[in-house]
Amino acid sequence: MPSSNSEAPNASGLTPVETKALKERSVESHEKKIIESMKELYTCKPQETTYSSYAPNAVFHDPIGIAEGIEAIRAQFNGLAKIFPRADLPKFKVLENPPSVPKNKILIDQDVDYYRDPTASSPTKTVNSLLTIETDDANKIIRHTEEWNHMHESDREDGFWGMLNEQRKKITASVTGKFVSQEVPKKDVGGYS
């Protein structure tokens, strides 16, 4: 659950106002595969190669769940692709890192249009979010945080209610992992099969 405190730093270490004000930058060559993977995930078109951008012990944290490990991350995004047969990215901007944000963090401001009906003219839901992608020395994703409207995602560091919210997210990701295949969804004529 996003924090109600608009001054709370998000995963980048900046406030929502600060990250929303960052300028767009060009993608660096070592980031291209990660950026391609993010676009595949958020357009609900994951491929087998999409997940090769992640380290085996990577963590994905969003307002719905906390997925720990590549299998749990695969389940989250494969499940999303089954719920939404179509998703578009009308906005996808890689942002400049100010000096306070380490170079191993990639910041992305995106709008995702999610469609339950792939032939619809307007989306079921549009979500703005900040992606904070943290990489290791091998340029693999070790932490992928999605924060809706750039707002801080609560966790155990936010006290008792944050701890409860974190546990709920872990349970949600765990349950999803038990019911969603590790195989990427296959497209058929009407969407995903």
Side-chain angles (χ1 to χ4, degrees):
M1 243 179 168
S3 169
S4 59
N5 179 358
S6 63
E7 295 301 311
N10 54 39
S12 73
L14 303 171
T15 67
V17 170
E18 291 170 323
T19 54
K20 287 181 180 187
L22 294 174
K23 292 180 182 170
E24 186 173 9
R25 67 169 175 84
S26 298
V27 176
E28 296 181 24
S29 60
H30 70 278
E31 300 170 325
K32 286 182 180 178
K33 174 63 180 133
I34 291 172
I35 298 303
E36 179 183 327
S37 293
M38 291 302 109
K39 288 180 177 180
E40 290 170 353
L41 292 174
Y42 286 97
T43 56
C44 296
K45 297 176 188 171
Q47 309 295 313
E48 281 302 324
T49 56
T50 303
Y51 299 105
S52 66
S53 293
Y54 288 90
N57 61 342
V59 174
F60 169 64
H61 183 183
D62 76 349
I64 308 295
I66 298 175
E68 297 175 320
I70 191 64
E71 292 82 13
I73 294 168
R74 286 176 69 100
Q76 296 301 299
F77 284 100
N78 291 350
L80 184 67
K82 289 178 184 266
I83 295 168
F84 296 104
R86 176 179 161 205
D88 297 334
L89 292 169
K91 177 173 80 174
F92 188 93
K93 299 187 328 186
V94 179
L95 304 174
E96 289 183 349
N97 286 25
S100 63
V101 177
K103 292 292 181 198
N104 72 327
K105 285 187 180 180
I106 302 169
L107 306 179
I108 300 167
D109 180 23
Q110 68 176 9
D111 286 346
V112 185
D113 289 343
Y114 290 105
Y115 294 81
R116 289 284 295 139
D117 175 357
T119 62
S121 60
S122 60
T124 305
K125 178 73 176 167
T126 299
V127 176
N128 170 260
S129 59
L130 172 69
L131 304 182
T132 302
I133 310 297
E134 186 175 346
T135 60
D136 63 13
D137 292 338
N139 204 39
K140 295 287 189 182
I141 299 168
I142 55 174
R143 187 156 187 88
H144 170 179
T145 305
E146 178 182 0
E147 295 168 304
W148 294 347
N149 295 317
H150 297 230
M151 298 292 286
H152 169 74
E153 273 306 311
S154 64
D155 60 22
R156 68 181 170 274
E157 309 233 343
D158 297 307
F160 180 73
W161 295 113
M163 186 239 349
L164 289 178
N165 192 36
E166 180 176 310
Q167 289 305 309
R168 177 199 55 82
K169 290 179 187 183
K170 288 180 177 181
I171 291 167
T172 299
S174 175
V175 169
T176 301
K178 298 211 184 311
F179 295 101
V180 177
S181 171
Q182 290 295 301
E183 291 184 34
V184 295
K186 306 284 187 247
K187 274 214 165 188
D188 65 16
V189 177
Y192 283 100
S193 56

